[in-house]
């Protein structure tokens, strides 16, 4: 699950644990405000990637 609050500087990402629960949130900085999130296989490696659009540039491991 991934979400950001309107005007927030971060997007929170919670990975599933496999037991119907989510793990601890990882916060990724997206500049001066998250505007949109999209999930898909952007690099063709067969795993889902998450992209966040904000008013800045950053990287989240």
């Amino acid at each position: 699950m991934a979400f950001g609050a309107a005007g927030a500087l971060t997007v929170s990402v919670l990975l599933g644990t496999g037991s119907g629960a989510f793990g601890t949130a990882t916060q990724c900085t997206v500049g001066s405000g998250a505007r949109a999130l999209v999930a898909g296989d952007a690099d063709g490696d067969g795993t889902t990637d998450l992209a966040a659009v904000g008013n800045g540039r950053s990287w989240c491991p």
Side-chain angles (χ1 to χ4, degrees):
M1 169 173 41
F3 60 90
L9 299 177
T10 62
V11 169
S12 297
V13 179
L14 292 85
L15 300 178
T17 64
S19 64
F22 292 99
T24 304
T26 299
Q27 293 192 344
C28 303
T29 302
V30 292
S32 61
R35 303 284 186 239
L37 294 172
V38 64
D41 186 7
D43 56 6
D45 67 356
T47 60
T48 303
D49 304 302
L50 179 68
V53 178
N55 290 332
R57 291 191 300 169
S58 63
W59 173 256
C60 184

